[in-house]
Amino acid sequence: MALQQQIKNRTTPQLFNIAILGVLVLLYAPILLHWLNGWLYKSISIEHEYFSHGIIGLPFAAYLIWINRKKWQRLPDTTNPLGAVLLLVGGVFYLSGVTEWVNLSFPTILAALCLWFKGIRGFRLQGFPLLLIILATPTALPYLIAPYTLPLQNFIAGTAGFILNQFGMEVTVDEMNIYVGGRIVEVAPYCAGLKMLFTTLYVSLMLLFWTDALSSRRTTTWFLSVAIIISVIANIIRNTLLTFFHGTGREGAFQWLHDGWGGDLYSALMLLLLVPLLNRINSYFSAVSETQEEGNN
């Protein structure tokens, strides 16, 4: 009887957890598949494409949640009232039918479950995975900040025009418009590098967490700052190439880099630069710390 009671006590929470997971799958599997299909085949709005870093971020978040499962189980069962509030908010968002709110209901309900079952400690344990999920959730943020990218557009257009002039091309720049051989190329808000910048910052956070460097404010600040500079420079080079291809009538090359897999390859190569960059920064600050310790001794 005692053995049966122990089995029953262990089985009941497991069945409850499986039931919750099943409900989440039923509710959000169609939404997640819609995001994935849109990111892969660019079948969703341009604003939602800005969150295509979720292709790697969401699986990584799921992996972190999985490897934290034993720590999660060891935490005492503590209910935080904020969990009920967020659960209610998430439910209202989901039932509203508004795309933005339905999307936001996913991280909201996940955060609510953490607070409801394990309290603040559970929320902190899953804090980084939740952050990755929130930052990969499509919202209207790119649309809201697009009007404020005009200075960046003008800077990219001016720099691209300057570079092409150095190679002997007759280029005229008028704010965000670049004229080459009678052809006009506009550095639109969506070509100002926001998507690449979002992806760069997202991948940078993943690398910082993976290498345990996120706890170092100095390393994090330097790495993110340099990563932003690299992203801007990479986008200037990309827009320079696009202007050259379009201005010289190389439409095939233009489409390959602008809408084809060439753009994805270019972004991937740029992101690969972040790995040696982080290693270099970590090595530098480690050497500085050792030197300071030797000086103190």
Side-chain angles (χ1 to χ4, degrees):
M1 292 295 293
L3 179 61
Q4 292 180 348
Q5 186 64 32
Q6 289 179 359
I7 294 175
K8 182 179 180 181
N9 292 338
R10 291 182 180 179
T11 303
T12 301
Q14 292 177 352
L15 291 176
F16 187 58
N17 293 335
I18 292 174
I20 293 176
L21 179 61
V23 172
L24 289 176
V25 170
L26 289 174
L27 290 176
Y28 290 104
I31 296 174
L32 294 175
L33 290 175
H34 172 67
W35 292 356
L36 178 62
N37 182 77
W39 292 334
L40 289 175
Y41 302 105
K42 300 181 180 180
S43 58
I44 52 180
S45 65
I46 295 177
E47 289 82 10
H48 283 199
E49 286 185 28
Y50 276 68
F51 299 90
S52 59
H53 47 255
I55 293 176
I56 58 175
L58 293 179
F60 185 63
Y63 168 74
L64 294 178
I65 292 173
W66 173 254
I67 64 176
N68 284 334
R69 67 189 186 281
K70 292 184 178 179
K71 294 180 180 179
W72 173 269
Q73 292 170 356
R74 287 196 294 266
L75 289 177
D77 295 334
T78 305
T79 300
N80 189 296
L82 182 58
V85 176
L86 289 180
L87 191 61
L88 177 62
V89 172
V92 172
F93 280 2
Y94 187 89
L95 295 175
S96 69
V98 180
T99 302
E100 295 291 325
W101 291 9
V102 173
N103 291 344
L104 287 172
S105 71
F106 181 54
T108 302
I109 287 181
L110 290 179
L113 292 175
C114 290
L115 290 167
W116 181 257
F117 289 112
K118 298 295 182 178
I120 296 297
R121 294 179 64 183
F123 181 80
R124 288 177 178 173
L125 177 64
Q126 307 294 358
F128 191 76
L130 286 173
L131 176 63
L132 292 179
I133 294 171
I134 291 172
L135 295 178
T137 300
T139 63
L141 179 62
Y143 175 79
L144 295 174
I145 66 177
Y148 303 99
T149 62
L150 182 59
L152 181 59
Q153 293 172 254
N154 293 339
F155 173 72
I156 292 173
T159 306
F162 173 79
I163 294 173
L164 292 174
N165 279 326
Q166 305 312 303
F167 286 93
M169 295 187 66
E170 293 186 3
V171 179
T172 303
V173 179
D174 181 15
E175 294 185 344
M176 71 186 70
N177 299 313
I178 309 174
Y179 298 87
V180 184
R183 292 171 173 260
I184 181 174
V185 179
E186 178 187 4
V187 180
Y190 303 113
C191 297
L194 290 181
K195 180 180 178 181
M196 185 178 292
L197 182 60
F198 285 177
T199 303
T200 300
L201 292 174
Y202 193 84
V203 173
S204 296
L205 286 175
M206 291 173 59
L207 290 174
L208 286 168
F209 180 85
W210 185 256
T211 58
D212 292 326
L214 196 59
S215 58
S216 173
R217 182 178 301 177
R218 183 168 55 177
T219 300
T220 300
T221 301
W222 274 96
F223 179 58
L224 292 180
S225 300
V226 177
I228 291 173
I229 294 173
I230 291 176
S231 177
V232 173
I233 292 175
N235 190 59
I236 290 173
I237 296 173
R238 178 175 178 270
N239 276 275
T240 302
L241 293 173
L242 289 173
T243 303
F244 173 77
F245 292 150
H246 187 67
T248 55
R250 294 174 171 84
E251 295 302 324
F254 177 86
Q255 293 298 330
W256 174 76
L257 185 59
H258 187 261
D259 298 319
W261 61 271
D264 296 330
L265 176 62
Y266 183 84
S267 299
L269 292 175
M270 189 275 294
L271 292 174
L272 284 176
L273 293 176
L274 297 177
V275 177
L277 171 64
L278 179 56
N279 290 334
R280 187 65 179 271
I281 291 176
N282 272 329
S283 299
Y284 173 78
F285 284 125
S286 296
V288 170
S289 298
E290 291 177 1
T291 302
Q292 290 177 346
E293 289 178 1
E294 291 177 357
N296 292 333
N297 293 333

